[in-house]
Each structure stands twice: as C-alpha cells, then as structure tokens.
Amino acid sequence: MTKYADRVVNVLGAVNLAGRKQFPPERSMTILDALSLAGGHSRLADLKRVKLTRVDANGEPGTTTINVDEIINRGGGKGAIAIQPDDVIFV
C-alpha cells in the first residue's frame, strides 16, 4: 500500500473550525472547498477581503486579497481560486 504525502491548507480567522485541513491527493481544491472544510465562515467574516498566502517557486511568500463573496455570487465555479498544499487562508 502506498501512502501519499499529506496535502494540507491552513484556514484561519473568522471561520467556525480554524486549523489545518487535509485534502485528498487525487483531486484539486478551491478556496470554497477549504472554507467548507473549516466549517464555513463566522458571522464576523469579511468575505470581500480574504487573504491567501502562498510561497512561490523562489521560496518567497506572497499574499493576495480575494473577494470570496463575489465567487459565491457567481455560483462558485468560474473564477474559483485553486488552493495548493501549504497555502494559508485568512478570513
């Protein structure tokens, strides 16, 4: 039996179940999937200014602000941001 390397994303801030969330190696994950694994957002969340921090190929972290509210209003499909292992999402 082969064990896959753990693929996790950290979801922090105004979510119901903050922490490290694991996702299966055989499928991709979007920012909405990660928020869902975190139990959804709390009533204090500002979904128009969610921060995604990711380390680039040079090992440098970069942060992007994402309007998750807009992604939800479009139906969650088109424009959903793909999450990579070790990303940090701050709501």
Side-chain angles (χ1 to χ4, degrees):
M1 185 167 143
T2 303
K3 182 180 187 297
Y4 293 103
D6 285 341
R7 294 177 5 141
V8 295
V9 60
N10 293 294
V11 186
L12 308 170
V15 292
N16 294 316
L17 300 169
R20 294 172 57 89
K21 306 302 171 190
Q22 188 167 359
F23 56 103
E26 65 275 0
R27 75 177 201 98
S28 61
M29 177 184 273
T30 67
I31 196 164
L32 296 181
D33 294 328
L35 292 176
S36 177
L37 285 175
H41 60 85
S42 74
R43 63 181 182 84
L44 301 175
D46 181 1
L47 295 180
K48 294 183 180 182
R49 291 192 264 302
V50 174
K51 305 287 186 194
L52 172 65
T53 302
R54 176 177 292 164
V55 176
D56 68 15
N58 297 322
E60 297 294 322
T63 301
T64 305
T65 302
I66 300 168
N67 187 338
V68 172
D69 190 48
E70 184 177 293
I71 295 170
I72 292 169
N73 289 334
R74 284 194 311 246
K78 187 172 183 176
I81 308 298
I83 298 302
Q84 297 177 3
D86 299 321
D87 281 353
V88 177
I89 300 166
F90 186 82
V91 180

